[in-house]
Amino acid sequence: MAEPGAAGRDPEAVSRFVESFAAQLVDAGMQRMAARVFAALLSSDAGALTSAELGEQLQVSPAAVSGAVRYLSQVHMVSREREPGSRRERYRVHSDQWYEAITNRDAVLKRWEQTLRAGVDSLGAESPGGRRMAETLAFFEFLEGELTKLMERWRVERARTFGGA
């Protein structure tokens, strides 16, 4: 089904894109329904759809949409908003969703680093396991520093290419 206000769209082509991109996200480790919901939101003109609209487009139950949106909200890829004058929620993907999803991984990296430090301490830095933990810790510390620089470069590139913030 075509999105409201999406004149000129080929609903079949949109559906093929959503399913194809969702399959690639699943291959990368995302939950299947979350991937489908995310791809549908990303391809929508408004960048926001209600649960009913998502369910109709994807031909799934409201419960399936709810679970997917809960996951996508937790990983900062979509947000919920109330429709003005309504109790219905709309789910929105933002233009900077990838930036937000990646930069919010910083907290995960920090937790992993703390755990790995404890692993090095408990295994002993000179033991084979301790050395592997130390190398893994060094990798995540390196990654964290590089991601900070990379995200700053992306902000500059995004502003240059697409304007605004």
Side-chain angles (χ1 to χ4, degrees), residues 22-140:
Q24 291 175 26
L25 292 170
V26 168
D27 287 346
M30 187 181 281
Q31 299 170 359
R32 183 173 183 273
M33 188 54 59
R36 293 181 73 213
V37 167
F38 180 74
L41 287 169
L42 189 63
S43 65
S44 70
D45 285 342
L49 297 167
T50 65
S51 180
E53 290 166 336
L54 283 163
E56 185 175 340
Q57 179 179 343
L58 300 173
Q59 297 184 4
V60 298
S61 71
V65 171
S66 178
V69 168
R70 184 173 32 260
Y71 169 80
L72 291 166
S73 295
Q74 289 170 348
V75 296
H76 306 281
M77 293 184 78
V78 302
S79 60
R80 298 170 190 248
E81 56 189 40
R82 289 265 184 223
E83 282 190 331
S86 171
R87 293 180 54 188
R88 294 191 323 173
E89 286 186 327
R90 295 180 68 74
Y91 307 113
R92 176 170 302 281
V93 64
H94 298 283
S95 61
D96 62 349
Q97 75 279 345
W98 294 112
Y99 175 88
E100 289 298 320
I102 297 296
T103 56
N104 283 301
R105 291 293 181 210
D106 188 50
V108 173
L109 289 176
K110 285 186 185 330
R111 284 196 314 267
W112 288 353
E113 289 170 12
Q114 290 172 340
T115 302
L116 288 165
R117 272 189 204 86
V120 170
D121 290 345
S122 66
L123 295 171
E126 298 307 314
S127 73
R131 282 193 300 273
R132 281 192 302 276
M133 290 291 154
E135 184 177 345
T136 302
L137 172 59
F139 171 76
F140 285 121

